Amino acid sequence: MINVAVIGYGYWGPNLVRNFLSAGCHVKTVVDMNENRLFALKKAYPFIESSMDIDSTLADTQIDAVAIALPVTLHYPIVKKALLAGKHVVVEKPMTKSAATSRELIDIALREKKVLMCDHTFLYTGAVRKISQLIKDEQLGSIEYFDSVRINLGLFQSDINVIWDLAPHDISILNYIMEKSPTSIVATGLSHTGNDMEDIAYLTMLYDDNFIAHASVSWVSPVKIRKVLIGGTKNMVVYDDIEPTEKIKIYDSGYRIKSDEDQKKMRIDYRTGDIFIPKIDTTEALSGMVTDFMQAIDKGRKPVSDAELSLSVVTILEAAEKSIKNHGKEVKL
Ligand SMILES: NC(=O)c1ccc[n+]([C@@H]2O[C@H](COP(=O)([O-])OP(=O)(O)OC[C@H]3O[C@@H](n4cnc5c(N)ncnc54)[C@H](O)[C@@H]3O)[C@@H](O)[C@H]2O)c1
């Protein structure tokens, strides 16, 4: 049995603890510097050791693996310490705040022969896996665009802006299903709080082919929207994560360009056909993530949300932030 420590028991940490326990792992220790959080832990799980000290937990030789759910700016130093202490690591998204630090952690993990992955939870949802399969099976045709909206009111973060908080979800989904990287990024955003931390942002990812991707993220929207539109030449997909069951709808809709020789102008034929709602796996995504982490440790299998994919997400986020700070200047990758 693998002994696990969960570091950070704020909003997301309890979800990790619950899923590690249901996967049959031994959660030996949970670390948080906030007494109230450790009190909540003791109430829910009296059999788990609590600690306020990350270093002593990492020095515990009985612990094989750690899951890190700390504020983003602590990811790099704590993941590095954990890997150097000989632990396998799963860290919450985004892996770190720069491509250079993510690359450094990947190199350390390789050298130490430890698993390093990042919890891009959406890659383990039935919906995203279904979309990936539809694209692989060429049921959508050639993909022309990916357009996502992830907006709600709050939660303002103190150490990161909205792109580092929300866009990792959209970019990890994009990179996973498309299996290619953009060549440049154009992004704009604004902070309304006077602290230079953007609370609303628009990211455009440009590619060297006929595909474009866009993500809109916001903490200042009156409504919560979690929607992705994917346009293919055969079919189009609407993925609405707020929908309880019918998360994916496949539209047999599209257009065809007909050149009109006489009038020398373009004519478009539109097609609006049936809408198909596929059945998707509703297993909790985090349980898939935990199983993936365990199998990577046990069997040496490459995780779905592996460190290289996580680095590609950080690379895009970093470029987007640079573009925002330069008023939407295109940043080449
Ligand atoms: N995968 C997802 O869908 C998802 C969802 C939410 C959050 N997250 C990620 O989880 C991570 C944590 O986010 P959160 O919303 O739980 O934040 P949070 O602020 O609610 O929790 C962080 C916890 O870390 C503790 N902490 C901070 N510094 C510490 C230190 N030096 N030593 C020990 N404990 C310390 C805090 O007391 C707090 O309880 C972030 O990386 C975030 O992006 C992921």
Side-chain angles (χ1 to χ4, degrees):
M1 192 191 277
I2 292 172
N3 290 326
V4 178
V6 174
I7 304 180
Y9 194 73
Y11 163 64
W12 200 246
N15 294 327
L16 293 171
V17 171
R18 178 171 52 77
N19 277 280
F20 275 109
L21 289 173
S22 34
C25 298
H26 178 221
V27 179
K28 183 165 188 281
T29 313
V30 169
V31 187
D32 202 293
M33 65 178 191
N34 180 333
E35 267 180 19
N36 292 334
R37 297 310 302 146
L38 294 182
F39 183 68
L41 170 83
K42 277 286 158 217
K43 244 177 118 178
Y45 307 108
F47 51 91
I48 298 179
E49 278 172 21
S50 64
S51 168
M52 294 179 99
D53 182 17
I54 296 175
D55 288 339
S56 63
T57 302
L58 293 179
D60 182 342
T61 51
Q62 286 178 12
I63 291 170
D64 310 296
V66 295
I68 296 173
L70 291 167
V72 176
T73 40
L74 289 177
H75 289 186
Y76 165 67
I78 304 303
V79 172
K80 186 172 174 177
K81 270 190 184 179
L83 288 169
L84 291 173
K87 313 299 181 199
H88 300 287
V89 177
V90 58
V91 60
E92 270 311 319
K93 58 81 196 165
M95 186 147 77
T96 65
K97 273 227 62 193
S98 75
T101 50
S102 286
R103 170 54 62 203
E104 186 190 336
L105 294 181
I106 291 174
D107 291 344
I108 295 173
L110 281 171
R111 220 175 42 232
E112 300 291 321
K113 296 191 174 50
K114 295 294 161 207
V115 172
L116 169 63
M117 65 176 278
C118 182
D119 173 25
H120 286 295
T121 317
F122 278 91
L123 306 192
Y124 298 92
T125 59
V128 171
R129 307 206 101 172
K130 173 61 86 180
I131 295 171
S132 165
Q133 200 55 52
L134 289 169
I135 293 175
K136 279 202 176 79
D137 296 345
E138 296 181 2
Q139 294 202 36
L140 306 184
S142 167
I143 309 298
E144 296 185 326
Y145 66 85
F146 171 105
D147 200 357
S148 69
V149 182
R150 190 172 299 277
I151 60 176
N152 47 259
L153 196 56
L155 290 171
F156 280 78
Q157 306 282 315
S158 54
D159 63 336
I160 49 168
N161 66 10
V162 70
I163 65 167
W164 290 92
D165 181 35
L166 297 183
H169 294 311
D170 305 288
I171 297 169
S172 61
I173 295 170
L174 170 70
N175 285 5
Y176 173 65
I177 64 172
M178 294 307 298
E179 296 182 353
K180 61 183 175 185
S181 301
T183 49
S184 66
I185 313 287
V186 173
T188 49
L190 206 58
S191 166
H192 297 92
T193 47
N195 64 354
D196 217 22
M197 293 277 196
E198 290 74 16
D199 45 68
I200 185 164
Y202 307 96
L203 281 61
T204 305
M205 278 66 70
L206 301 163
Y207 293 73
D208 59 5
D209 57 11
N210 201 27
F211 174 73
I212 188 166
H214 181 262
S216 165
V217 286
S218 167
W219 289 328
V220 288
S221 158
V223 290
K224 180 168 177 168
I225 302 177
R226 299 275 185 267
K227 223 174 229 187
V228 184
L229 311 180
I230 298 164
T233 48
K234 277 194 206 161
N235 286 299
M236 298 179 177
V237 166
V238 177
Y239 162 29
D240 186 350
D241 198 55
I242 304 283
E243 275 284 330
T245 50
E246 300 178 354
K247 288 186 186 292
I248 292 182
K249 296 195 172 93
I250 304 169
Y251 287 72
D252 177 16
S253 295
Y255 64 93
R256 194 166 62 94
I257 301 160
K258 287 190 9 182
S259 59
D260 186 327
E261 286 303 321
D262 296 338
Q263 297 181 28
K264 297 253 182 302
K265 66 177 185 187
M266 199 168 69
R267 272 192 24 218
I268 314 268
D269 275 352
Y270 297 99
R271 189 184 78 255
T272 49
D274 292 336
I275 302 167
F276 176 65
I277 302 173
K279 193 168 158 46
I280 55 171
D281 183 358
T282 53
T283 312
E284 184 179 356
L286 261 190
S287 97
M289 189 285 290
V290 163
T291 305
D292 204 23
F293 183 47
M294 290 303 133
Q295 292 194 345
I297 295 170
D298 260 0
K299 305 195 166 79
R301 218 178 70 172
K302 179 169 132 43
V304 172
S305 182
D306 75 339
E308 289 291 343
L309 183 138
S310 312
L311 167 64
S312 73
V313 173
V314 170
T315 303
I316 293 175
L317 293 170
E318 196 175 35
E321 178 146 51
K322 198 168 164 191
S323 179
I324 289 174
K325 299 299 181 199
N326 285 288
H327 307 286
K329 193 165 184 279
E330 182 176 11
V331 175
K332 302 258 184 223
L333 291 176

